[in-house]
């Protein structure tokens, strides 16, 4: 049979990915959405979309009955569950089968066999696959677990049998910590999975997470599509993945892929699956678990094999044999994926929410793929996973792929919501990572260093100063001819004016800058920086010291991402408290220069006309009137006659009438 109408029981980037897959195959893509996702990107991109309930996942994306009813109403002949949500839910797969709708994944019995880690371990061990030594018994009494722990030794890992997404996991370094860890893991597991069963595993020190993509069909075929390295993790969850893994030698690679196929065959595996191994420093590897679904990081496998895994999934679900035999599946080159998540790495990876004002990334090409689930203006709420996009760099070898990743991540920006982008850039730029990859504990060990931004490059500072000076000049021109700045390059005889600037990077620095022609002189701290800056607001050429370089600016209001080699984030700020920012000119009439208020002509509550003189400032032995840029009402007066004020200091607040 062929599939013609596919319901996608998911949201976000994976729903969008599957919709693209449908389009390529001429299959009608049917989206479902919760109330929170009414305007979501996957709804906009699908051929049709059906509501399935409130924002809460339990009452929408996890509601088996609701989704099946919708599938029937929409006359779907198959359901793709994506990842997360119902993707590894055996009851859902069984319900689909009972309703005569194809489930794009393995049969319920296979999901059930692999769904609980301890049962899966016993199963694959019997098939001759090494598993992490530990306790996976049915007896869950505290005494049995304690006895097993003593026998196993420390450190050990407590895991939720039904676990996923790194939840329900605790490292125990000494016997005294065991009871608390068991209680915490059990609570978390019951909460997240409705199943408090636990297993114990020897904690492998500084391991790699290496997994193998497998595929089975309904005709007894079972192949692997090579491995992926997923050791860059936070909180036991992947954030950067690559294929192939830089770690194993070819003998180990062969053994890993063979073990994975053995594990898959042991359960009669069908469709896409991933066999996850933990690999010790000496190359010994152990089965951890099997994920019976499409994986978040499947694009790196697609990049090195040139295959479309979603197309394979749909073919297999339709009953076709695997499109290729093992020896026809080849890998070439290297690919790396980075997950852009709405979270704040500086605050314990707390989820962040908000409206995505702008998502900027270099356009996709043969070496750069963007799998996004959001567009500009979309809201990231608190209800679902914070993964909003994946970017995938590829190339003929690892060094080239990493160079592309670094280069393009520097030019990627998300405005409006806090993301882990700066952390991803910092990891991708680390020499250890470039050398041969890192172990699973690297990110957490190095987090303070990874979160501390290096001081911006001189070229970046010069460009930020140029942008700030141009802003000030533009503001002055808008404010009218009464402003001394309106006269062009500076109004002091013989020299451009020195401007005070505020730069946050992210600590606040007050800098002084002046420009004459292309030359920018900047003083920041005690440090002078000088160079020639030519450019148009986005692309600059900076000649400073002995060389010249191209510098790019990605701008969102006062926030600048200045890309020389890496991305330096510099936010323009008022140099002084109460000073106006670029767009504040109308609301905050300000002193044009450092000086003294010689007269204040208005009081709070007064109505003023555009052009009316509000105050007079004396500086440089000249009196300068400050006029209202628009008609309005004075809502606050911030200075008094006789006060000394700095350049750009706010004098009062003006509300429009
Ligand atoms: P992968 O193994 O594909 O890298 P992750 O472990 O990062 O996947 O999880 C994939 C997605 O599925 C994430 O969005 C995660 O939050 C979600 N997820 C994983 N396991 C579960 C689960 N048991 N229940 C609900 N969501 C889950
Ligand atoms: P989940 O279902 O949450 O994905 P896994 O069993 O796949 O759980 O483990 C997630 C991560 O936890 C692994 O990628 C690895 O970093 C770490 N981990 C799991 N088991 C071990 C172990 N025995 N020793 C050391 N680290 C482990
Ligand atoms: Mg896992």
């Amino acid at each position: 049979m062929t599939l013609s109408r596919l319901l996608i029981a998911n949201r976000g980037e994976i729903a969008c990915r599957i919709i693209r897959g449908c389009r390529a195959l001429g299959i009608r893509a049917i989206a479902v959405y919760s109330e929170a996702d009414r305007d979501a990107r996957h709804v906009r991109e699908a051929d049709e979309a059906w509501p399935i309930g409130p924002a809460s996942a339990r009452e929408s994306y996890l509601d088996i009955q609701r989704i099946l009813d919708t599938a029937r109403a929409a006359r779907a002949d198959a359901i793709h569950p994506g990842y997360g949500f119902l993707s590894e839910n055996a009851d859902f797969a069984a319900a689909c089968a009972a309703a005569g709708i194809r489930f794009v994944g393995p049969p319920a019995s296979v999901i059930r066999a692999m769904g609980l880690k301890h049962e899966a371990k016993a199963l694959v061990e019997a098939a001759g696959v090494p598993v992490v030594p530990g306790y996976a018994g049915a007896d869950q009494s505290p005494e049995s677990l304690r006895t097993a722990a003593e026998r196993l030794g420390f450190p050990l890992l407590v895991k939720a049998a039904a676990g996923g997404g790194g939840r329900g996991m605790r490292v125990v370094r000494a016997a005294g910590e065991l009871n608390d860890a068991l209680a915490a893991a059990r609570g978390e597991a019951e909460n997240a999975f409705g199943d408090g069963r636990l297993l114990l595993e020897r904690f492998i020190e500084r391991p790699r997470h290496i997994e193998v993509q497998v595929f089975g069909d309904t005709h007894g075929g079972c192949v692997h599509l090579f491995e992926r390295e997923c050791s860059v993790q936070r909180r036991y969850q992947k954030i950067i993945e690559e294929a192939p893994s830089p770690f194993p030698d070819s003998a180990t690679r062969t053994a890993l892929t063979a073990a994975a196929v053995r594990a898959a065959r042991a359960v009669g595996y069908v469709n896409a699956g991933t066999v996850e191994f933990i690999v010790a420093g000496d190359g010994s590897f152990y089965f951890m678990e099997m994920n019976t679904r499409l994986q978040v990081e499947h694009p790196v496998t697609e990049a090195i094999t040139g295959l479309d895994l979603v197309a394979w999934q749909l073919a297999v679900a339709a009953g076709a044999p695997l499109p290729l035999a093992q020896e026809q599946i080849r890998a070439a080159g290297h690919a790396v994926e980075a997950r852009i998540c709405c979270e704040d790495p500086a605050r314990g990876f707390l989820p962040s929410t908000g409206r995505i004002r702008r998502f900027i990334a270099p356009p996709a090409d043969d070496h750069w793929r963007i799998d996004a689930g959001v567009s500009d203006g979309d809201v990231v709420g608190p209800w679902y996973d914070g993964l909003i996009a994946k970017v995938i760099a590829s190339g003929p070898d690892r060094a080239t792929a990493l160079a592309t990743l670094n280069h393009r991540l520097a030019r990627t920006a998300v405005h409006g919501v806090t993301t882990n982008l700066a952390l991803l850039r910092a990891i991708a730029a680390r020499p250890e990572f470039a050398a041969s990859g890192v172990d699973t504990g690297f990110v957490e060990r190095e987090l303070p260093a990874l979160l501390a931004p290096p001081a911006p490059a001189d070229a970046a500072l010069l460009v930020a100063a140029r942008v700030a000076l141009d802003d000030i000049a533009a503001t002055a021109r808008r404010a009218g001819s009464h402003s001394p700045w309106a006269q062009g390059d500076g109004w002091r005889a013989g020299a451009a004016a020195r401007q005070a600037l505020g730069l946050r990077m992210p600590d606040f620095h007050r800098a002084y800058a002046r420009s004459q022609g292309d030359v920018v002189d900047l003083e920041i701290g005690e440090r002078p920086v000088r160079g020639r800056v030519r450019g148009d607001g986005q692309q600059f050429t900076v000649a400073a010291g002995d060389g010249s370089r191209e510098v790019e600016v990605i701008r969102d209001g006062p926030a600048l991402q200045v890309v020389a080699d890496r991305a330096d984030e510099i936010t323009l700020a008022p140099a002084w408290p109460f000073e106006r920012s670029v767009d504040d000119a109308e609301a905050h009439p300000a002193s044009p220069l450092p000086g003294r208020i010689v007269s204040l002509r208005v009081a709070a509550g007064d109505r003023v006309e555009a052009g009316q003189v509000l105050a007079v400032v004396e500086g440089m032995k000249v009196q300068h009137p400050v006029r209202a840029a628009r008609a309005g009402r004075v809502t606050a007066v911030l200075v008094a006659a006789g006060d000394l004020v700095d350049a750009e200091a706010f004098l009062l607040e003006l509300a429009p009438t």
Side-chain angles (χ1 to χ4, degrees), residues 3 79-81 103-107 110 213-218 221-223 225 264 268-274 290-294 309-319 322:
L3 305 178
I79 296 183
H80 196 308
F103 174 78
V104 181
V110 172
Q213 176 72 54
V214 295
F215 239 105
D217 63 21
T218 48
C222 186
V223 298
L225 279 68
Y269 199 77
V270 175
N271 220 298
T274 296
M290 180 164 193
N291 291 327
T292 55
R293 57 173 160 89
L294 188 67
L309 266 57
V310 171
W312 274 44
Q313 284 195 291
L314 297 175
V316 167
L322 290 170

Side-chain angles (χ1 to χ4, degrees), residues 156-523:
L156 60 77
L157 199 57
V158 180
K159 282 189 188 179
R167 278 167 300 177
M169 208 134 57
R170 286 288 181 290
V171 184
V172 183
R173 299 230 162 243
E177 302 168 8
L178 185 66
N179 283 346
D180 287 348
L182 290 174
R186 197 182 298 284
E188 212 168 296
E190 270 163 3
N191 232 329
F193 314 110
D195 182 340
R197 279 176 288 177
L198 301 176
L199 62 155
L200 306 178
E201 277 183 6
R202 176 179 301 154
F203 183 73
I204 314 283
E205 298 281 0
R206 303 213 168 188
R208 300 290 188 119
H209 171 124
I210 302 178
E211 59 186 33
V212 178
Q213 176 72 54
V214 295
F215 239 105
D217 63 21
T218 48
H219 308 274
C222 186
V223 298
H224 71 81
L225 279 68
F226 306 98
E227 84 284 0
R228 293 183 287 256
E229 161 95 35
C230 311
S231 299
V232 180
Q233 302 183 347
R234 47 97 177 88
R235 314 211 139 174
Y236 306 113
Q237 267 201 299
K238 307 152 188 171
I239 42 178
I240 297 181
E241 309 95 339
E242 58 186 301
S245 164
F247 185 71
D249 55 28
S250 71
T252 307
R253 174 170 292 120
T254 306
L256 269 168
T257 51
V261 172
R262 241 183 359 260
R265 282 198 183 279
V267 286
Y269 199 77
V270 175
N271 220 298
T274 296
V275 183
E276 295 190 332
F277 296 97
I278 197 100
V279 184
D282 64 2
S284 53
F285 60 83
Y286 309 93
F287 171 92
M288 271 191 302
E289 66 161 343
M290 180 164 193
N291 291 327
T292 55
R293 57 173 160 89
L294 188 67
Q295 207 92 344
V296 176
E297 56 275 20
H298 75 277
V300 294
T301 298
E302 297 187 318
I304 64 161
T305 59
L307 302 173
D308 179 338
L309 266 57
V310 171
W312 274 44
Q313 284 195 291
L314 297 175
V316 167
L322 290 170
L324 296 175
Q326 187 68 67
E327 56 281 6
Q328 294 173 299
I329 301 168
R330 301 269 155 70
H334 202 96
V336 202
E337 171 184 280
R339 301 187 189 188
I340 302 176
C341 302
C342 290
E343 64 187 23
D344 189 350
R347 299 205 292 148
F349 298 97
L350 218 67
S352 52
T353 58
R355 185 180 293 277
I356 299 189
R357 223 172 25 248
R358 231 145 57 97
F359 175 30
I360 303 163
D365 60 26
D366 286 351
H367 302 292
W368 178 246
R369 166 173 166 180
I370 303 161
D371 280 20
V374 296
S375 309
D376 292 359
D378 286 353
V379 170
V380 178
W383 303 286
Y384 317 111
D385 193 85
L387 175 68
I388 51 167
K390 309 177 302 202
V391 291
I392 302 100
S394 55
D397 51 50
R398 186 167 189 267
T400 313
L402 285 186
T404 300
L405 182 72
N406 274 297
H407 185 269
R408 307 228 172 149
L409 271 183
R411 289 159 178 80
T412 301
V414 176
H415 295 296
V417 184
T418 304
T419 70
N420 63 342
L421 253 173
L423 175 66
L424 294 172
R425 283 188 211 117
I427 298 168
R430 283 285 289 245
E432 305 93 313
F433 179 62
S436 52
V438 296
D439 68 88
T440 57
F442 174 81
V443 174
E444 311 235 337
R445 275 199 311 280
E446 295 292 318
L447 198 59
L450 290 166
L451 293 181
D458 282 359
L461 289 171
L462 286 170
V463 167
R466 164 95 275 160
V467 170
L469 290 171
D470 289 352
D471 274 6
I472 290 169
T475 306
R477 272 195 301 278
R478 277 203 306 274
S481 59
H482 64 276
S483 163
W485 309 123
Q487 287 149 31
D489 266 343
W491 53 279
R492 281 184 204 173
R498 201 173 85 129
Q499 295 282 355
L501 309 173
L503 303 176
R504 286 187 208 286
M505 28 196 213
D507 294 334
F508 178 85
H509 291 267
R510 188 168 297 125
Y512 294 90
R514 130 190 9 247
S515 78
Q516 270 182 301
D518 293 335
V519 177
V520 174
D521 271 301
L522 179 69
E523 220 178 282

